[in-house]
Amino acid sequence: MEKITKRQWIGFSTWAVIYVLFSVWMENLWLLFGLIVLADIYFTKFIPWGAWKRTRNKRVREALEWVDDILFALIAVYLINLFVFQNYQIPSSSLEKTLLVGDYLFVSKLSFGPRVPNTPLSFPLVQNTLPILNCKSYLDWPQWGYRRVKGLGTVKRNDIVVFNFPAGDTVALRKQNTDFYTLAHEYGRETVLSHPEIYGEVIYRPVDKRENYVKRCVGLPGDSLMLRENQLYINGEKMANPENMQLNYYVETNGTPFTEEQFRALDVSRADRVVYSAEPGYQSLLTYMGFRPNESGRFNLIYHLPLTEKALALVHRMPSVLQVKVEQDIWSTVYPAGYETGWRRDNYGPVWIPERGAEIELNAHNLALYSRCIANYEGNSLEVRPDGSVLINGRPETSYVFRYDYYFMMGDNRHNSADSRSWGFVPEDHVVGKPIMIWLSIDKDRELFNGGIRWGRMFRRADI
């Protein structure tokens, strides 16, 4: 063994301290065996880590240098993405106008504590499917159970949270915009499974490889939550609405269409500008909503628009507007599917949010609400016999104690958000992190250098 230089000692000591601190943070002292590898890299060199640098072929040496740099970068990105922060793009309008379609976010993993990955062998910066190759971006083995290391805090009410989609455990690959359980409820489980030409292959995804969603946490573990006429109540107390919360409205005008400037003042994107009165099939809906034909027997120009309270006040001041009606919910399907509660999108609950250590009675109502928590999220086998008795892991049970905390997530765009009202509770092991900053924002309705970049949103906080 060659004489150990001062430079080697400094390099080894620096990385050893970092590695020990990381092992302590991970609460896994078995990782300390990795110090043997560090010692070999700097001192003993039993493994010829840098042998490729001594090759005489210049082209081979240059190629291997590129491979070495790329591998180092991939490993660094992988670790940063797992334990510090990741990039996230807002794909839908469910949180408008708080977060907009086209916002690019830094999501902090440290805010709630990073999770140890369920699938450690995966390609960095890809959620579950490799582009072009269209195959899985991860290996099914090994898979580890849920463990979260200490972070800077915990999920609080009104936090905006990025999480893995709970109902994304089972996916029909050709119908991924609708979760498998909704498809099974609407068309029948056997129909979905037996028609891959329509629905695609049905696959299972581990927790950390389910699609990422972003919503606002409105309900915490142990809360009782309900909505009445779009107003949220927690434990019987009326909650303040988010500043930029919006609902859908029907806006009847005297026939004068809104200008582009008016739509921009209302902050309504082109995709959200719907004219219902121009469609014959919507006339029965407009009649149901209380609109009446004019003297010529036709409906006036009626827009269907998502509006914040500020935008709604502007609409009421427009001289061409005759009346405004909030959209009524007449057809939504809510969680739990297949069990009649009488709940709808705008009038939901009351529902109790599961809390770790809390015990519930196993009756028909609770099984409808919490069977997914018991079986799918907490990994138990659950069987309900014809006589109504319940078996959990093969044993008769009359009650159940939850192992996880759960959260109730909703979008600020209340009428255009598929959230916990649609697919239920979010388990603690699905929580990814907290958006902390918008680093880029692109308006798809405008040219890139003519208002397409929303400069005013760049480098601003995203957690408000």
Side-chain angles (χ1 to χ4, degrees):
M1 186 173 66
E2 299 177 0
K3 182 180 179 181
I4 299 173
T5 65
K6 183 178 180 181
R7 182 177 179 181
Q8 286 174 294
W9 275 114
I10 292 174
F12 172 78
S13 301
T14 301
W15 283 108
V17 169
I18 293 172
Y19 188 78
V20 168
L21 292 174
F22 177 78
S23 301
V24 172
W25 184 39
M26 290 291 104
E27 299 177 350
N28 187 351
L29 297 183
W30 287 104
L31 292 174
L32 293 178
F33 281 105
L35 291 173
I36 298 173
V37 177
L38 273 178
D40 186 58
I41 292 173
Y42 280 95
F43 304 142
T44 57
K45 300 182 180 179
F46 289 122
I47 299 174
W49 302 96
W52 59 269
K53 296 179 181 179
R54 294 191 292 271
T55 180
R56 295 181 179 181
N57 189 313
K58 183 179 179 181
R59 291 185 178 180
V60 172
R61 187 168 63 251
E62 289 177 349
L64 290 174
E65 285 176 354
W66 275 101
V67 171
D68 184 62
D69 291 341
I70 291 171
L71 285 176
F72 179 83
L74 285 175
I75 293 170
V77 168
Y78 177 75
L79 293 175
I80 291 171
N81 194 63
L82 277 182
F83 299 111
V84 185
F85 68 83
Q86 73 178 66
N87 179 53
Y88 183 78
Q89 178 188 1
I90 297 296
S92 70
S93 63
S94 68
L95 268 172
E96 291 195 356
K97 294 297 188 277
T98 306
L99 294 175
L100 307 181
V101 174
D103 282 350
Y104 291 79
L105 313 174
F106 285 138
V107 176
S108 168
K109 300 289 187 72
L110 299 175
S111 295
F112 308 134
R115 297 173 300 179
V116 175
N118 303 109
T119 51
L121 300 181
S122 62
F123 197 85
L125 303 181
V126 179
Q127 182 59 21
N128 49 50
T129 305
L130 284 173
I132 302 175
L133 298 177
N134 200 31
C135 63
K136 289 193 302 185
S137 63
Y138 58 94
L139 297 181
D140 292 313
W141 187 90
Q143 283 197 26
W144 298 335
Y146 168 60
R147 196 165 70 83
R148 187 183 298 274
V149 298
K150 291 181 180 179
L152 302 177
T154 58
V155 178
K156 298 181 177 60
R157 194 182 323 281
N158 291 321
D159 277 349
I160 295 178
V161 180
V162 174
F163 55 92
N164 296 116
F165 180 39
D169 55 348
T170 308
V171 180
L173 290 178
R174 289 193 176 183
K175 299 286 184 180
Q176 295 191 45
N177 287 336
T178 304
D179 68 86
F180 172 80
Y181 302 97
T182 299
L183 290 173
H185 173 68
E186 292 181 353
Y187 305 107
R189 183 183 181 91
E190 291 305 317
T191 299
V192 176
L193 293 175
S194 59
H195 288 84
E197 73 281 2
I198 299 174
Y199 301 100
E201 180 187 0
V202 176
I203 65 168
Y204 170 83
R205 284 176 178 161
V207 172
D208 60 341
K209 294 306 172 186
R210 296 167 195 174
E211 294 295 341
N212 287 326
Y213 275 36
V214 58
K215 308 286 180 186
R216 187 181 297 275
C217 176
V218 297
L220 297 174
D223 282 346
S224 180
L225 174 149
M226 69 176 182
L227 279 142
R228 291 294 179 264
E229 300 298 328
N230 297 301
Q231 177 59 55
L232 178 66
Y233 295 83
I234 299 292
N235 302 323
E237 181 182 350
K238 182 179 179 180
M239 294 288 103
N241 292 324
E243 180 181 355
N244 293 310
M245 189 189 87
Q246 60 182 19
L247 303 174
N248 288 343
Y249 294 89
Y250 295 92
V251 180
E252 183 181 19
T253 75
N254 59 13
T256 304
F258 288 174
T259 65
E260 181 66 25
E261 288 71 22
Q262 286 175 315
F263 278 123
R264 288 185 182 175
L266 299 174
D267 202 10
V268 177
S269 68
R270 291 174 185 171
D272 288 331
R273 304 170 191 176
V274 180
V275 182
Y276 270 1
S277 54
E279 300 289 338
Y282 288 112
Q283 292 182 3
S284 59
L285 172 62
L286 295 174
T287 301
Y288 176 85
M289 291 294 300
F291 294 101
R292 296 293 178 263
N294 55 32
E295 296 177 355
S296 65
R298 304 179 64 181
F299 285 95
N300 290 321
L301 177 62
I302 299 175
Y303 290 107
H304 179 262
L305 307 171
L307 302 171
T308 62
E309 286 191 9
K310 181 180 177 181
L312 181 62
L314 287 175
V315 165
H316 279 298
R317 293 198 297 268
M318 291 180 178
S320 63
V321 173
L322 301 179
Q323 62 174 325
V324 181
K325 294 178 180 287
V326 67
E327 177 187 271
Q328 299 298 312
D329 176 28
I330 58 176
W331 53 65
S332 66
T333 299
V334 297
Y335 179 86
Y339 181 81
E340 185 51 50
T341 57
W343 302 345
R344 292 293 180 266
R345 178 195 65 190
D346 304 335
N347 292 278
Y348 189 90
V351 61
W352 177 78
I353 303 169
E355 180 180 26
R356 187 192 303 121
E359 185 175 9
I360 59 166
E361 178 187 351
L362 295 176
N363 53 42
H365 180 73
N366 283 344
L367 285 169
L369 285 170
Y370 306 117
S371 60
R372 279 188 57 77
C373 302
I374 296 170
N376 297 62
Y377 305 148
E378 301 200 356
N380 301 290
S381 66
L382 176 65
E383 179 186 353
V384 182
R385 290 182 166 177
D387 62 359
S389 61
V390 179
L391 299 182
I392 297 180
N393 299 324
R395 298 176 56 184
E397 301 286 356
T398 58
S399 63
Y400 180 77
V401 177
F402 290 100
R403 293 192 293 109
Y404 287 165
D405 281 330
Y406 292 80
Y407 303 92
F408 200 94
M409 306 289 185
M410 288 177 59
D412 292 354
N413 193 2
R414 291 284 167 84
H415 286 171
N416 296 302
S417 174
D419 49 38
S420 286
R421 294 170 294 177
S422 303
W423 34 254
F425 311 105
V426 176
E428 62 176 85
D429 69 327
H430 283 58
V431 172
V432 174
K434 182 177 182 178
I436 55 173
M437 186 179 72
I438 301 169
W439 64 271
L440 178 65
S441 185
I442 303 294
D443 186 346
K444 62 182 176 58
D445 288 344
R446 308 180 74 170
E447 295 180 2
L448 188 61
F449 296 105
N450 185 25
I453 300 177
R454 304 184 186 107
W455 296 101
R457 294 185 62 80
M458 291 175 60
F459 304 107
R460 55 165 281 187
R461 286 179 55 189
D463 57 345
I464 56 176

